[in-house]
Amino acid sequence: MPAPDLLSDAVRDAPLPDVATLLAAAVEAVGGAERPGQVRMAEAVEKAIASGEHLAAQAGTGTGKSLAYLVPAIRHAVDKDTTVVVSTATIALQRQLVDRDLPRLAEALTPLLGVEPKFAILKGRRNYLCLHRVQTGAPEEPEEGGLFDPQQLSVLGRQVKRLNEWADETTTGDRDELVPGVSEQAWRQVSVTARECLGAQRCPQGTECFAEQARAEAGEAHIVVTNHALLAIDALEDFQVLPEHDVVIVDEAHELVDRVTSVATDDLSATAVEVAARRCGRLVEEGVADRLKEAGEGLGLLLEEMPPGRMDVLSPALGNTLVAVRDAAHACLTALGPERKENDPGDMAARKAARSSLEDLHDTAVRLLDAFTPEIAARFDVVWLDKPFAQEGRPRRPPSLHVAPIGVGGLLRTTLFDRRTAILTSATLTLGGSFEPLARQWGLPPLGGEEKDAPLPAAGDAGKAAEAAKDDDKMAWSGLDAGSPFDHAKAGILYVARHLPQPGRDGLTDAYLTEITELIEAAGGRTLGLFSSMRAARQAADELKDHLSHPLLCQGEDSTSLLVKRFAEDERTCLFGTLSLWQGVDVPGPSLQLVIMDRIPFPRPDDPVTSARQRAVAARGGNGFMAVAATHAALLLAQGAGRLLRSMSDRGVVAILDPRLATARYGTFLKASLPPFWPTTDPDVVRNALRRLDAAVTSA
């Protein structure tokens, strides 16, 4: 064997350098400086991996948390020849990890490790183009309202044609690499779900399958980057999605509960029944398929008559209709018979698609019926009816039933925390100064003493949840606040407009609009306006555009990414928007020196999942408002306030116009969730500070 290979073997056999040495090399390679918080977090992650104790690590912007968890994760994966999964909530962070952080880390650490760390990105099968579906075409679907418009048909046709051309060019088939993107309806024509997939062994394109290639690469990787949705699917489905791994790192962990809830939510509509009936129509006797079609028509008529919102009681009419859908779907499945290998791959795909739709229908109908069986306080699921409003230029989508878990803590406990070591990290994990509000939602036991609020009911089997509760002492975890490099009290002001009236339900009052105008003029523009609803954002933009001396953009006028780009490039521009801006804007420098929040972002009182969760906590003797609504608001407030300081030279003001932050009892909890800015309720003090900041930037 040549000498270089012998040398390489010798390096691999030697003990690996410690995390401190590897972190120093990594920081030098990316051109940064080691930060105390980063070092503390890396040490804590290393300890958690070694001990099996779960870790919740809060690390503010600029801490360098990605390196702090990637370095010990890579060392562990190389040392044990295993895989570590890193899960994110957003595509932006996935791209940062895969395109920037991991390639630079691999290059920097290879000489020290003696092995080149391998990494891969893995998404759900629906995110990859299916070559077989491109060749054979999608199964016939019922007409959707928008497709009665010839113009919509033309747009869809052009997008599908573009996707077919892209299929010959792409090397990954990854939807996120298609720029500009296409509609969900167009993408459905060229993709399949896991249930619809023929399988690599049966599919004529199995050896070229993009999803299978991604899975194969992930199976060979030390670090696999995925998303919270796929993490949830891996936990929920009977089949394995992610490669074997003993450690999972959940970045953007503040979004974990919402993403898992979304994946664990099922829906049922007349359209879904029609799809299933049409898919199986040519594969079973006509009378069997017609029975399903009639059940779907009955469901559609009934849902049109029912009021929208949360449903606590199953009416006899709906119960009978759901039974009819369930039984008709079961009859179609029986008529389809067991899966068998077809000579024609197209026929096999058609049967697979029909079976997938029928199984989804049947299982969702069963789940909806079962959701009402326990007493309200003991329920695991909440059911509601959604009746969307008609959008301009498009017909109204049909009403649909939804069923979601009231809590996902039991699911996460049994499928995540019981099976592997978890490191959960984000810039925002402590609410009211404690990790426990979010830890309760994740299903982790209290760190010490009794819980302030009873936990939510666990989604899933009650017996398993009870057993898990007995094993709290075996599920050890710790919390680490790695701090922030910012001196918040010197770099920023928290202004609460205590003098304003409490916000009402009829939109922004003149007092609020005047306050916003005066703050923006004092700041010289440079304002990000975060509103609790799109209606409020549009009202503010419409009423202030002609009165401000600075440009004003509003979310919805263009793609959010282009609006943020324009906002960042023109220092005097203001940008108003809602939820995605509360968490998704990273604009360092003088373009952003004022963040305005119109009100405390409590969830809507009629939100079915939130209201059911509050009721469940109250039924167990806890404070439902504080455990659910206040926790939700605290998280968003902290995320919104985090938009202000993005670099060490940033200065500015976070202005919260809702006086309840200063006057209500829960205000103490909410303020303790915010960065420690210098606080004031004096309008003159904050306006003068903004004028000085504007003057300093202008003269620089």
Side-chain angles (χ1 to χ4, degrees):
M1 188 177 290
D5 285 344
L6 287 172
L7 179 61
S8 179
D9 286 343
V11 172
R12 280 196 292 269
D13 289 339
L16 295 180
D18 59 23
V19 165
T21 302
L22 294 173
L23 181 62
V27 170
E28 183 179 357
V30 301
E34 219 170 52
R35 303 174 182 92
Q38 184 184 57
V39 173
R40 287 199 304 275
M41 180 172 168
E43 291 171 346
V45 172
E46 180 188 28
K47 179 183 176 184
I49 291 173
S51 66
E53 180 178 285
H54 307 301
L55 173 69
Q58 176 169 280
T61 302
T63 305
K65 66 179 169 65
S66 297
L67 290 190
Y69 64 68
L70 286 175
V71 168
I74 289 173
R75 186 188 187 281
H76 169 72
V78 169
D79 186 38
K80 302 299 183 184
D81 192 22
T82 187
T83 298
V84 172
V85 168
V86 177
S87 178
T88 77
T90 61
I91 293 172
L93 181 54
Q94 280 186 22
R95 294 259 65 95
Q96 175 193 315
L97 293 174
V98 173
D99 295 341
R100 192 185 73 182
D101 293 347
L102 282 165
R104 294 158 82 181
L105 270 179
E107 183 179 357
L109 299 184
T110 296
L112 294 169
L113 296 172
V115 174
E116 182 179 0
K118 297 178 183 178
F119 55 90
I121 187 167
L122 185 62
K123 304 175 183 179
R125 189 170 293 272
R126 195 64 185 268
N127 291 277
Y128 299 98
L129 181 140
C130 172
L131 292 170
H132 183 254
R133 179 157 284 191
V134 168
Q135 289 195 2
T136 60
E140 186 181 1
E141 307 287 10
E143 297 279 357
E144 292 193 16
L147 295 186
F148 288 117
D149 182 350
Q151 185 177 358
Q152 290 293 326
L153 276 172
S154 176
V155 170
L156 178 65
R158 287 197 300 271
Q159 290 184 341
V160 172
K161 181 175 183 292
R162 181 168 157 243
L163 284 167
N164 278 269
E165 293 169 350
W166 181 65
D168 294 328
E169 305 167 1
T170 179
T171 58
T172 65
D174 186 339
R175 180 180 181 177
D176 292 327
E177 294 184 8
L178 180 67
V179 180
V182 295
S183 68
E184 179 62 26
Q185 195 169 19
W187 185 254
R188 283 205 306 265
Q189 308 301 304
V190 297
S191 65
V192 296
T193 64
R195 283 190 175 185
E196 294 170 335
C197 176
L198 298 179
Q201 302 302 317
R202 294 182 176 184
C203 180
Q205 279 75 40
T207 57
E208 302 169 304
C209 175
F210 293 122
E212 291 297 325
Q213 288 175 6
R215 288 192 67 187
E217 288 179 18
E220 298 293 322
H222 295 105
I223 304 293
V224 171
V225 179
T226 187
N227 53 55
H228 295 353
L230 196 61
L231 194 68
I233 291 169
D234 190 59
L236 288 166
E237 296 291 351
D238 295 331
F239 52 87
Q240 185 176 336
V241 178
L242 295 169
E244 287 291 341
H245 57 287
D246 59 350
V247 175
V248 60
I249 297 170
V250 183
D251 202 340
E252 300 175 312
H254 62 279
E255 293 202 45
L256 181 62
V257 168
D258 284 347
R259 299 302 172 102
V260 174
T261 301
S262 179
V263 170
T265 298
D266 290 321
D267 57 81
L268 180 66
S269 66
T271 302
V273 181
E274 188 181 351
V275 167
R278 185 173 294 203
R279 283 184 171 185
C280 72
R282 298 191 184 98
L283 303 172
V284 302
E285 290 183 11
E286 185 177 350
V288 179
D290 284 348
R291 180 181 162 196
L292 180 61
K293 185 177 179 182
E294 290 168 5
E297 291 170 352
L299 177 68
L301 291 171
L302 180 61
L303 296 186
E304 287 289 357
E305 297 173 357
M306 295 173 58
R310 192 182 76 203
M311 299 169 59
D312 292 333
V313 177
L314 179 65
S315 69
L318 181 58
N320 292 333
T321 303
L322 290 175
V323 167
V325 171
R326 179 197 67 190
D327 293 348
H330 185 267
C332 288
L333 282 168
T334 302
L336 268 180
E339 283 194 37
R340 59 179 185 267
K341 188 170 183 179
E342 306 285 342
N343 292 327
D344 184 343
D347 291 343
M348 185 167 30
R351 295 183 71 87
K352 193 86 172 179
R355 182 175 297 279
S356 170
S357 293
L358 291 168
E359 288 175 344
D360 284 343
L361 265 192
H362 177 271
D363 294 350
T364 302
V366 169
R367 184 179 175 190
L368 284 162
L369 288 164
D370 289 349
F372 295 96
T373 302
E375 293 294 324
I376 287 179
R379 288 178 184 173
F380 300 122
D381 282 336
V382 57
V383 177
W384 72 96
L385 176 61
D386 181 32
K387 300 180 85 167
F389 294 108
Q391 295 182 347
E392 187 176 344
R394 292 187 177 185
R396 181 174 66 84
R397 288 189 291 113
S400 56
L401 288 168
H402 299 263
V403 55
I406 293 176
V408 297
L411 172 68
L412 289 173
R413 177 191 292 263
T414 56
T415 61
L416 179 64
F417 299 120
D418 276 352
R419 298 179 184 177
R420 50 190 59 92
T421 305
I423 288 99
L424 304 109
T425 185
S426 168
T428 310
L429 289 186
T430 60
L431 301 176
S434 171
F435 287 99
E436 302 233 357
L438 285 181
R440 276 198 303 273
Q441 295 184 8
W442 296 331
L444 290 172
L447 278 175
E450 296 184 2
E451 290 187 270
K452 297 177 186 176
D453 297 298
L456 294 167
D461 182 75
K464 289 181 181 177
E467 286 300 315
K470 295 177 183 177
D471 292 336
D472 278 351
D473 58 328
K474 300 177 184 177
M475 195 174 292
W477 67 280
S478 60
L480 168 76
D481 186 349
S484 167
F486 302 129
D487 186 341
H488 288 91
K490 291 184 178 179
I493 294 173
L494 173 64
Y495 166 58
V496 180
R498 183 172 183 150
H499 62 284
L500 290 178
Q502 286 196 19
R505 297 182 178 180
D506 300 324
L508 299 168
T509 63
D510 289 342
Y512 275 69
L513 294 169
T514 299
E515 185 79 20
I516 293 169
T517 301
E518 292 179 358
L519 287 169
I520 290 174
E521 293 296 352
R526 317 177 192 280
T527 300
L528 177 65
L530 302 177
F531 293 84
S532 54
S533 69
M534 202 63 237
R535 175 186 163 198
R538 289 198 182 106
Q539 180 199 349
D542 291 343
E543 298 200 29
L544 298 185
K545 252 178 183 173
D546 295 334
H547 302 288
L548 289 174
S549 52
H550 306 290
L552 174 57
L553 307 172
C554 187
Q555 198 173 7
E557 295 173 349
D558 205 333
S559 73
T560 299
S561 58
L562 287 176
L563 290 173
V564 172
K565 186 172 184 288
R566 288 168 60 189
F567 171 61
E569 289 173 350
D570 185 351
E571 291 184 8
R572 296 290 182 185
T573 295
C574 304
L575 174 60
F576 288 2
T578 185
L579 190 61
S580 61
L581 297 187
W582 286 71
Q583 305 184 77
V585 174
D586 185 5
V587 179
S591 291
L592 176 48
Q593 293 191 329
L594 172 62
V595 175
I596 295 176
M597 303 184 216
D598 67 326
R599 64 192 298 161
I600 298 170
F602 291 120
R604 287 168 52 110
D606 60 353
D607 179 85
V609 178
T610 301
S611 59
R613 286 176 172 171
Q614 286 189 216
R615 183 176 63 186
V617 172
R620 286 160 174 75
N623 185 325
F625 171 77
M626 290 302 296
V628 181
T631 294
H632 172 94
L635 190 55
L636 274 179
L637 281 175
Q639 287 286 308
R643 301 310 96 204
L644 182 66
L645 303 182
R646 309 303 294 178
S647 71
M648 295 304 293
S649 60
D650 286 350
R651 301 288 184 273
V653 170
V654 171
I656 300 175
L657 307 187
D658 193 331
R660 294 175 296 177
L661 192 65
T663 60
R665 290 178 61 187
Y666 53 75
T668 302
F669 170 77
L670 297 178
K671 282 187 286 188
S673 306
L674 294 170
F677 296 117
W678 186 81
T680 184
T681 57
D682 189 324
D684 293 331
V685 167
V686 80
R687 285 159 177 67
N688 289 334
L690 286 168
R691 293 187 188 101
R692 288 194 298 271
L693 280 173
D694 180 43
V697 172
T698 303
S699 62

